[in-house]
Amino acid sequence: MIRVLVADDQEPVRTGLRLLLQSLPDVDVVGEAADGVEAVRLAQALRPDVALLDIRMPGLNGIEATSLLAGARIAEPIAVVVITTFDLDEYVHGALRAGAKGFLLKESGPQLIGEAVRAAANGDALISPQVTARLLGEFSRPAKQVRQPSPPLTAREEEVLALLATGLTNTEIGERLYLSLGTVKTHIAGVLAKLGVRNRVEAAMWAYETGRVP
């Protein structure tokens, strides 16, 4: 079972998320928090596999909570998925920079939320496909400010990265490029290593920042 902590300052939303997650056969909600401070405290005490955090909470917002749970300096990070009502929100970009492994809209259905939770639990990441371009493209920096990898990405790695940045899962990337799942994972690992980033979310942001995705 994937153990999940849910944090949202609105009780009806927390209840809805809990019921949705509990309907999934491989997910168990082990805790609920009404603000960022409580979310961090419970996450550190319960050590869930995934923390599902609202971006706007009192006490500590989703960005601050994410940084404390999944930041680069955290010795034993907890996988964080940010969930929000807004499909274009500067706070979400900050949360991804802080170490979040995914970004979902609250209107996302059980299947997508389940996929995001499973991906995060497995060390992967997922962003709602319908908002990937708008979110990352809106806040990307000019390409001249972004470090280029050395050695450069191969042609196949470029193809995989471009599809990854549009929000496709590993399985979907494999189907699009006629590659096995293992081969896709190998290419993604190579991309992450060359870019010096921690996860596919940061790789997707780099792709937008360097103009690899229109």
Side-chain angles (χ1 to χ4, degrees):
M1 297 292 286
I2 301 173
R3 302 169 67 253
V4 178
L5 169 71
V6 175
D8 194 292
D9 60 334
Q10 299 182 38
E11 184 175 358
V13 175
R14 288 200 313 276
T15 300
L17 288 172
R18 173 171 52 80
L19 292 175
L20 185 156
L21 290 167
Q22 293 284 40
S23 71
L24 303 176
D26 56 345
V27 174
D28 181 26
V29 177
V30 297
E32 297 180 38
D35 59 60
V37 174
E38 185 180 14
V40 171
R41 181 184 64 81
L42 284 178
Q44 291 174 340
L46 298 174
R47 302 297 303 177
D49 299 307
V50 179
L52 190 62
L53 306 181
D54 182 27
I55 196 68
R56 293 182 173 178
M57 296 185 292
L60 291 172
N61 62 37
I63 298 174
E64 295 165 330
T66 297
S67 181
L68 291 173
L69 296 176
R73 297 183 179 182
I74 303 302
E76 297 182 2
I78 293 173
V80 173
V81 174
V82 171
I83 188 164
T84 179
T85 303
F86 308 99
D87 64 351
L88 188 61
D89 191 328
E90 62 185 0
Y91 294 121
V92 176
H93 189 265
L96 297 178
R97 289 287 189 195
K101 284 189 172 296
F103 164 49
L104 295 175
L105 298 179
K106 290 180 180 178
E107 65 187 33
S108 300
Q111 181 176 355
L112 187 58
I113 292 178
E115 288 178 2
V117 167
R118 295 183 188 103
N122 289 327
D124 209 335
L126 185 149
I127 306 175
S128 294
Q130 69 268 37
V131 300
T132 300
R134 291 178 59 192
L135 172 69
L136 299 179
E138 176 73 11
F139 298 101
S140 63
R141 298 171 297 181
K144 63 181 181 181
Q145 299 180 13
V146 181
R147 180 185 62 82
Q148 299 297 318
S150 180
L153 301 181
T154 66
R156 180 63 83 184
E157 288 171 341
E158 291 278 7
E159 291 179 321
V160 170
L161 175 61
L163 294 177
L164 177 157
T166 63
L168 296 188
T169 65
N170 289 356
T171 299
E172 291 169 334
I173 292 172
E175 292 173 349
R176 190 73 63 89
L177 298 178
Y178 303 102
L179 300 174
S180 69
L181 184 59
T183 300
V184 172
K185 290 182 178 180
T186 297
H187 284 310
I188 291 177
V191 169
L192 299 187
K194 288 182 179 180
L195 298 185
V197 298
R198 294 170 297 176
N199 54 55
R200 63 194 291 142
V201 175
E202 294 180 0
M205 288 191 286
W206 185 89
Y208 277 92
E209 291 169 348
T210 55
R212 281 167 164 76
V213 181

